[in-house]
Amino acid sequence: MYRPFLFVIVFFIPGIIFGSIAKATWLFFSIGILGLFCVFVSRNKNTRLAFFGIFIFFIAAFYCNFKTERALGDISCYVGQQQIVIGVINSSPVLKHDKVTYNIKTLYICEGQKYKKVSGNVSLSVLRDAKNNQAYSFGDVVRFSGKLKDPQGKRNPGGFDYKSYLLSKGISATVFSREIKKIGVYSTNPIIKMASSLNCKISTFYNEILPENLSSLLSGVVLGVKGNISREILSYFSDAGVMHLFAISGLHVGIIFSAVYKLFDAFNVSHITSFIIGSFTSIFYCFLVGLTPSVLRATIMIIILFLAPIAERTYDALNSICLAAFIILLINPMYLFSVSFQLSFCATLGIILFFGQFRKYFSKFPVFLRDSLSVIFSAQLLVWPVSAYYFHKVSIVGFLANIFIVPIVSTALVLGFIGGLAGLIIPVFGILPVKISGLLLLLSEKIARFSSRLPFSNLVIPDFSIIIFALYVLLLIIAFDLFEVIRIKNIKHKKVIVCALIFVIVVIIIPFNPGLEVTFIDVGQGDSIFIKTPKGRTVLIDGGGASPYYSGDFDTGKDIVEPFLYAKGIKRIDLMV
């Protein structure tokens, strides 16, 4: 099958990775143009393809350099300085109990008595108290002062790389301010402004109808707003392996699109009209929840899926996902290093590659159970290594929890979305669907809580190298016959090779004891020392204090010490001092 975007993405992604490491913007551009020239002068087809691949690779490296430099902007030159900044809020604010976080597109800084134009985005945190209790909206021009700071990178094994996370969102600096003042309104995209306003209004409507614990869950499921969901509840869903329900993705977009499409189709509206209305609804939902990589991927793929039969074309899921990745990386190449991008694409790619074979394995099960298990198993085959790499935990009970929780939350999503929109027009019509959604989410929370407390619900995975990834990919290729050229026809030989690869992977992952190990954990303010004795006993001396570069609901133990211990493969401490 002809898959042009598969060819493009095979060179485009390595080019972005190379461009994130090496900085030679115009050299990459020159090599890319030279490769394109060679495409036109070469006569051999294979040679032309090779040169076209070189062109894509170096243009991707150039594009990554170019976009990164633009994302940093002039404002990064003022890191470490106290500045008065004027900027425009360019996304919905993230509201928490004690603070509001804004993504600010900077316009000016004050130098003496003059204002100087600047570019770049900053993350602004403002305390919520009696003096600053108002949250401003997308498009508002604000004035604030504070010290611009360079975001913290990964400071410990297993730690969160906050700098890379912000850079993937186009943010180059952070600033904390005790006071923010609105001084005007900026001319912004009216669709994004309306979507942002609706997001806030729907979230407010949920808060008026449901208690705080359920309204925050409903906002998370429908709108992707997780700011006010308690850490405890999030940990239940995470340990149960269903945290993906709060990351707006294919499940959410698919449900919204299908519901709209089937509604109009039921009234004998033409397929083209139903498709157009469904597409516009999905695109608007994209803006409503914030244009994250996962929701962009889902929207692009589902529009192509429904467009294919209308255009009398065969839908190719693999080519479709490659096209979605290409479009998203054109928007922002740094999305490639976003965990949400990687999880979303890995889950979808797993379903594309392995769903059919798992359906054969579960062919004796009832249809619903067969398809549900096939989706879960196929997605998890590629999600597991990514989760293990970043979070050092893999949910074992996720297979069962997803079967029960996903249908419940899917129903809550549809009712919550309908109730939220109805509540903005005629509030009384939105109350019942929202309350039913709340009850369904309460039930899903109970199931997640129960699942997370089961023995061996999670497996802790220590840090591992790229060799493990390579061996795991080789294992999947051989076990599922992904490539014809290396297909092993002898079943006995295949089983021996697969078992051998599993054994090697497990042996490499299991941490060995190198002797006495002492690690001073960087916890900011305070001390924390981890000791592992030659006999494998573990000791933790102090757990650190409050970190100077975090505030609010940050917890040193949960956010620094625990990830460090998981990265070491440790789930239990023998002695704490």
Side-chain angles (χ1 to χ4, degrees):
M1 184 176 286
Y2 181 58
R3 290 171 171 147
F5 288 103
L6 176 60
F7 176 84
V8 170
I9 212 70
V10 162
F11 290 95
F12 197 72
I13 286 179
I16 291 174
I17 295 172
F18 183 66
S20 69
I21 299 169
K23 304 298 177 186
T25 308
W26 296 108
L27 175 62
F28 295 153
F29 180 77
S30 302
I31 297 174
I33 295 301
L34 180 61
L36 184 61
F37 173 76
C38 292
V39 170
F40 289 107
V41 299
S42 299
R43 295 183 178 181
N44 183 275
K45 181 180 178 181
N46 291 333
T47 305
R48 286 201 304 270
L49 283 174
F51 279 121
F52 190 59
I54 291 171
F55 162 73
I56 295 171
F57 179 88
F58 281 101
I59 288 299
F62 154 76
Y63 190 64
C64 180
N65 278 194
F66 177 74
K67 291 287 283 186
T68 303
E69 289 169 5
R70 288 197 64 184
L72 291 173
D74 302 335
I75 197 68
S76 60
C77 300
Y78 297 92
V79 166
Q81 300 179 23
Q82 187 79 18
Q83 292 289 345
I84 297 174
V85 184
I86 292 177
V88 57
I89 300 171
N90 64 355
S91 66
S92 297
V94 178
L95 303 175
K96 292 194 175 183
H97 298 292
D98 57 341
K99 68 176 180 179
V100 186
T101 303
Y102 300 97
N103 183 346
I104 304 289
K105 177 184 177 183
T106 57
L107 301 175
Y108 302 95
I109 61 166
C110 182
E111 288 190 339
Q113 299 298 317
K114 297 181 179 179
Y115 284 96
K116 179 181 178 180
K117 277 190 175 183
V118 290
S119 61
N121 297 333
V122 300
S123 177
L124 169 66
S125 296
V126 183
L127 284 177
R128 295 186 74 182
D129 52 26
K131 189 177 181 180
N132 289 306
N133 197 31
Q134 182 179 1
Y136 297 107
S137 305
F138 173 82
D140 288 343
V141 178
V142 294
R143 184 177 187 269
F144 58 92
S145 63
K147 187 176 182 179
L148 294 166
K149 294 184 178 181
D150 192 28
Q152 296 294 328
K154 188 175 179 179
R155 301 173 67 117
N156 296 293
F160 179 55
D161 192 342
Y162 190 52
K163 185 171 185 175
S164 295
Y165 167 74
L166 289 183
L167 191 59
S168 71
K169 298 169 79 69
I171 297 171
S172 58
T174 62
V175 59
F176 171 79
S177 181
R178 293 189 175 277
E179 190 172 356
I180 179 173
K181 183 179 180 181
K182 178 179 175 181
I183 60 174
V185 178
Y186 199 75
S187 178
T188 56
N189 186 314
I191 297 176
I192 299 178
K193 189 173 180 65
M194 181 173 66
S196 177
S197 175
L198 278 177
N199 186 304
C200 294
K201 289 177 180 178
I202 291 173
S203 185
T204 302
F205 181 70
Y206 293 158
N207 292 335
E208 293 172 352
I209 304 301
L210 298 173
E212 185 178 358
N213 63 320
L214 296 180
S215 65
S216 60
L217 277 177
L218 189 56
S219 294
V221 168
V222 178
L223 306 172
V225 180
K226 301 188 289 288
N228 284 325
I229 303 176
S230 71
R231 296 178 65 99
E232 184 182 16
I233 292 176
L234 284 176
S235 69
Y236 293 147
F237 282 92
S238 177
D239 291 343
V242 291
M243 191 64 182
H244 62 89
L245 295 171
F246 297 101
I248 306 299
S249 60
L251 174 68
H252 302 71
V253 177
I255 290 170
I256 298 296
F257 187 101
S258 300
V260 173
Y261 186 90
K262 290 179 179 179
L263 175 65
F264 283 92
D265 198 43
F267 288 99
N268 294 321
V269 177
S270 69
H271 292 306
I272 295 177
T273 304
S274 299
F275 166 76
I276 292 172
I277 296 172
S279 297
F280 275 108
T281 304
S282 298
I283 292 169
F284 182 75
Y285 184 66
C286 242
F287 285 104
L288 184 68
V289 299
L291 296 171
T292 60
S294 56
V295 74
L296 283 171
R297 191 267 317 151
T299 302
I300 293 168
M301 290 189 69
I302 201 164
I303 288 175
I304 296 173
L305 172 64
F306 280 84
L307 178 63
I310 294 174
E312 298 182 349
R313 294 289 188 271
T314 302
Y315 176 72
D316 180 13
L318 189 56
N319 198 51
S320 176
I321 193 175
C322 291
L323 171 60
F326 181 65
I327 293 172
I328 293 169
L329 293 175
L330 279 180
I331 296 171
N332 182 1
M334 296 308 292
Y335 276 150
L336 179 63
F337 307 101
S338 162
V339 180
S340 64
F341 177 94
Q342 294 174 20
L343 287 173
S344 176
F345 276 87
C346 282
T348 308
L349 184 60
I351 294 170
I352 292 170
L353 295 177
F354 309 119
F355 177 77
Q357 298 197 49
F358 275 112
R359 283 190 74 186
K360 294 178 183 177
Y361 300 153
F362 299 123
S363 58
K364 295 183 179 179
F365 286 68
V367 174
F368 169 75
L369 187 58
R370 178 199 65 192
D371 290 346
S372 297
L373 287 173
S374 299
V375 168
I376 293 167
F377 273 86
S378 55
Q380 289 300 318
L381 277 181
L382 293 185
V383 166
W384 266 1
V386 178
S387 297
Y389 180 78
Y390 285 107
F391 309 116
H392 304 287
K393 281 199 306 183
V394 171
S395 175
I396 305 300
V397 300
F399 296 110
L400 292 174
N402 273 277
I403 293 173
F404 294 104
I405 294 178
V406 168
I408 297 172
V409 174
S410 299
T411 307
L413 168 64
V414 174
L415 291 175
F417 184 67
I418 294 172
L421 292 179
L424 299 181
I425 304 169
I426 307 175
V428 69
F429 288 167
I431 294 174
L432 182 60
V434 169
K435 285 194 172 183
I436 294 173
S437 297
L439 290 174
L440 291 172
L441 289 177
L442 181 62
L443 176 60
S444 67
E445 182 200 330
K446 299 295 184 185
I447 298 174
R449 187 193 302 255
F450 172 77
S451 302
S452 65
R453 290 177 175 177
L454 290 173
F456 307 106
S457 61
N458 283 276
L459 185 65
V460 174
I461 307 292
D463 269 333
F464 53 87
S465 67
I466 193 68
I467 296 174
I468 299 295
F469 275 114
L471 290 174
Y472 185 75
V473 170
L474 180 61
L475 171 65
L476 294 179
I477 289 172
I478 294 173
F480 291 93
D481 297 323
L482 295 182
F483 293 109
E484 185 68 32
V485 290
I486 57 173
R487 177 172 293 181
I488 301 172
K489 295 181 179 180
N490 189 303
I491 302 298
K492 289 183 179 180
H493 292 172
K494 180 192 285 190
K495 288 181 178 179
V496 170
I497 294 173
V498 167
C499 290
L501 284 171
I502 293 173
F503 176 77
V504 171
I505 290 171
V506 171
V507 168
I508 295 175
I509 285 180
I510 294 174
F512 69 96
N513 193 352
L516 180 64
E517 179 184 351
V518 180
T519 306
F520 292 84
I521 306 172
D522 184 352
V523 292
Q525 184 178 346
D527 299 311
S528 185
I529 304 170
F530 170 75
I531 302 172
K532 190 174 184 181
T533 69
K535 292 185 178 182
R537 296 283 185 175
T538 54
V539 181
L540 184 65
I541 302 175
D542 203 349
S547 172
Y549 48 86
Y550 286 102
S551 60
D553 59 357
F554 179 85
D555 183 278
T556 304
K558 277 281 185 184
D559 296 310
I560 295 182
V561 178
E562 186 179 89
F564 167 81
L565 294 174
Y566 285 162
K568 292 288 185 180
I570 294 161
K571 199 172 182 179
R572 180 178 179 274
I573 292 293
D574 295 309
L575 177 64
M576 293 190 67
V577 181

